[in-house]
Amino acid sequence: MMRGRWNALPVERIEMNHQHTPQAFLAGASVDDAVFALRPDYRVMLLAVAHLTPGPSDEASGTLLQEAESVAVVALGSAPPDQLPRVATWRDAYRAFGAKPQRTRNSLEALLRRAPTGLPRVNRLTDIYNAISVLHQIPLGGEDLDRYSGPPRLIRATGSESFDTMADGEVVIEHPEPGEVVWCDDAGVTCRRWNWRQARRTQLSDTTTSALFILDVLDPVTDEELHAATDALVNHLSRIGPHLGIARRLISMAGARDD
């Protein structure tokens, strides 16, 4: 199975079970103290968006991806992605909880490695967030809000949590390693190894109308740069959904606040 949050697969839609506005949904989001103990510099911007206009990849999303590809080629030059400071810091974070970053690359590194030969075209929403991820060099994930069961939580796994994925074309249930940093909800893990691979259950699709976007940052990324990336994402989403319902929440070691 391909790595990164962009590997969307067709999934059956389930009944929306949180029945919350974007603001109420984000109010329950949390990052466990054990994660901040691992990386005190970690911050996450959660962006919940309703009333999106879904659809397959189109000319606008393709143009944005082309821009991201060009910017990535310039940023990389002749150096490998892992030498970029914003990639190297995530490699250090992965090592801190026992992952091998050369085998399980964070989503930003995975995209940067693909950029010179072409970023994937998946669907309109996925294309947009992948492009913003590359343009701002920030790991960024997008998930279907209607497939969530309870609020998003970033924890260090016990190893008993379930993670549904695909292997050899079949749906399989895996479990994270004890101590692994994972995003989860009440039903199980939604993304393994912080920002490595999404669960099948919550992936975006051509029919997604409500989404959760997760922007992960570590030093040297500043809060101002995190806000700029979020603003860029909102701007592009607004072009395909002029009447969006949007809520933001920034969570850091200093606390959480709505933005």
Side-chain angles (χ1 to χ4, degrees):
M1 181 175 180
M2 302 173 106
R3 293 172 179 167
R5 293 184 173 205
W6 38 261
N7 187 31
L9 294 168
V11 190
E12 67 276 7
R13 175 163 294 279
I14 63 175
E15 188 70 20
M16 182 175 178
N17 51 20
H18 50 80
Q19 295 182 352
H20 288 326
T21 64
Q23 291 85 355
F25 177 76
L26 292 187
S30 64
V31 175
D32 193 85
D33 288 344
V35 176
F36 287 126
L38 194 69
R39 289 297 302 235
D41 59 333
Y42 175 66
R43 287 143 288 146
V44 60
M45 180 70 81
L46 299 175
L47 180 72
V49 186
H51 312 305
L52 288 161
T53 304
S57 300
D58 57 19
E59 183 178 354
S61 68
T63 298
L64 186 61
L65 284 170
Q66 289 175 349
E67 179 186 353
E69 290 162 356
S70 298
V71 168
V73 169
V74 172
L76 290 169
S78 58
D82 58 272
Q83 292 188 14
L84 293 176
R86 296 186 181 204
V87 173
T89 193
W90 279 106
R91 284 191 157 223
D92 289 341
Y94 274 39
R95 293 187 188 97
F97 64 82
K100 296 180 179 179
Q102 69 273 22
R103 294 181 58 190
T104 56
R105 298 186 178 110
N106 65 80
S107 63
L108 172 61
E109 181 176 351
L111 287 171
L112 287 170
R113 287 182 178 275
R114 293 199 63 173
T117 56
L119 293 168
R121 273 61 173 170
V122 182
N123 55 56
R124 183 186 287 167
L125 298 177
T126 304
D127 293 352
I128 289 173
Y129 85 71
N130 278 344
I132 297 300
S133 175
V134 172
L135 287 168
H136 292 263
Q137 290 188 30
I138 290 175
L140 204 168
E143 302 184 340
D144 194 318
L145 204 64
D146 291 345
R147 296 184 178 130
Y148 260 76
S149 176
R153 303 184 298 277
L154 187 65
I155 64 170
R156 297 197 68 179
T158 65
S160 63
E161 299 88 351
S162 62
F163 175 76
D164 68 309
T165 186
M166 299 287 289
D168 299 323
E170 299 292 332
V171 178
V172 296
I173 301 298
E174 298 178 349
H175 301 279
E177 298 293 328
E180 182 180 326
V181 178
V182 299
W183 282 100
C184 65
D185 64 4
D186 294 343
V189 173
T190 55
C191 188
R192 287 194 60 186
R193 293 176 188 159
W194 222 319
N195 44 39
W196 169 57
R197 180 179 292 171
Q198 282 179 302
R200 174 181 177 271
R201 171 172 57 92
T202 54
Q203 288 176 337
L204 297 178
S205 72
D206 290 358
T207 61
T208 296
T209 58
S210 296
L212 170 67
F213 297 95
I214 300 173
L215 293 84
D216 293 318
V217 297
L218 301 168
D219 291 343
V221 180
T222 66
D223 286 354
E224 290 75 17
E225 290 170 321
L226 174 57
H227 282 287
T230 307
D231 290 342
L233 178 58
V234 169
N235 180 54
H236 284 284
L237 292 173
S238 296
R239 296 177 183 177
I240 60 170
H243 304 293
L244 301 179
I246 298 175
R248 305 185 191 193
R249 191 174 188 218
L250 175 63
I251 303 177
S252 68
M253 191 171 181
R257 64 180 186 269
D258 296 329
D259 290 274

